Each structure stands twice: as structure tokens, then as C-alpha cells.
Amino acid sequence: MSGEELEEISFPNEELEKIIHETIEAELGTKNYEEKEVGHWINRINEVIMEKLVVHQKPFKYLLNTLIMQRKGANVVVSQSNIWDTGLDSCFTAIWPKETPNKAEKSKNTIQCMVSVYTMTVLNSNSLIKSELFDRVSA
């Protein structure tokens, strides 16, 4: 598979970051943390991001993981491990708001949000190779 073909099916991190930040900003931008609303916010963020991803009609399965917490100056540690085709699959994580810790302490926004988007191709490298061979033989 050529680099151009891989680029056609890949999802650039810049595009993912833009989708995530625009969606979070629209949903949480002016709100303060309210525990009873967190489930609704998470569902809404995931739905909108998923809709925006599906519109691109890339050959991916998507998995979204969203964390919303009250900003109180405490640290959070998150880890993820993946076994997949690094040439075709990827993960991108965005944290909102994009502020340095000093600015965050002064911010009136009391919400911290982290969204991870996993893009997993429905084709693996073996099926792509087989498909290319099949196309050549059939031609």
C-alpha cells in the first residue's frame, strides 16, 4: 500500500484535536462543574465527536473514552496500552482546557475534560496486501 493510500485512510491528529476541542468547548465552555450533569455532558460529547468522525467516511472503528472531573488542583494519572497495527491504527488524547497549570488555577472554569479517540482500521495490513494481489490478478 502506497504512502498516499495510507494517508487517504489515516486520520490526522490535527483534525482529531480540532474536532475534540471544538466539541468540548461547545458543550462545556461556559459551564461550572455540576456532578449531576457529568453523565449527560459525557454522552453529548461522545455523540457529537462520533458524528463528526463518521462523516469523514474513513474505514475505521472508533472508540471514545471521555473523562470529566472537577478541577481542584489534584493530579490524575491515566494509562493506556494497545496492541495493534501501528501503521493503520492510532490513538489521540486531548485535554481541555489547554491551559498551563498556573493559568488553570486562576481560571473560573472548574471543569477538566480528557477525551481519547481510538481509530482502528477495519482492514489489517494482511487484508490490504491480499486485496491488492487480488485486484492485480483479477485485472
Side-chain angles (χ1 to χ4, degrees):
M1 178 165 255
S2 73
E4 186 177 296
E5 290 170 318
L6 279 174
E7 192 170 305
E8 186 177 310
I9 65 167
S10 68
F11 221 120
N13 285 347
E14 300 82 24
E15 182 70 20
L16 285 172
E17 183 174 30
K18 180 180 176 190
I19 288 170
I20 293 168
H21 281 282
E22 285 177 354
T23 303
I24 296 171
E25 187 64 38
E27 185 63 33
L28 303 178
T30 60
K31 297 178 178 150
N32 285 312
Y33 185 84
E34 292 181 47
E35 187 174 344
K36 66 180 193 258
E37 295 294 323
V38 171
H40 169 73
W41 294 338
I42 288 173
N43 288 337
R44 183 70 184 138
I45 288 167
N46 285 347
E47 287 172 8
V48 172
I49 291 173
M50 191 65 75
E51 288 171 4
K52 291 178 179 182
L53 294 173
V54 170
V55 165
H56 287 84
Q57 297 183 349
K58 300 277 187 177
F60 289 116
K61 294 179 184 180
Y62 298 104
L63 183 118
L64 279 87
N65 184 24
T66 301
L67 167 75
I68 293 178
M69 61 185 221
Q70 186 173 14
R71 189 188 311 195
K72 289 189 169 189
N75 290 329
V76 63
V77 178
V78 178
S79 175
Q80 57 196 22
S81 297
N82 314 306
I83 297 175
W84 56 21
D85 184 336
T86 57
L88 299 172
D89 305 324
S90 67
C91 175
F92 179 78
T93 300
I95 297 173
W96 180 91
K98 293 195 290 186
E99 300 171 332
T100 62
N102 291 338
K103 288 183 181 178
E105 290 172 11
K106 296 175 186 174
S107 173
K108 294 185 187 221
N109 188 320
T110 62
I111 301 173
Q112 183 81 38
C113 183
M114 182 179 77
V115 175
S116 295
V117 176
Y118 299 82
T119 59
M120 296 158 285
T121 185
V122 294
L123 305 169
N124 63 38
S125 56
N126 288 335
S127 66
L128 291 172
I129 293 167
K130 289 176 187 173
S131 175
E132 287 177 355
L133 292 173
F134 180 76
D135 289 345
R136 285 187 211 142
V137 171
S138 299

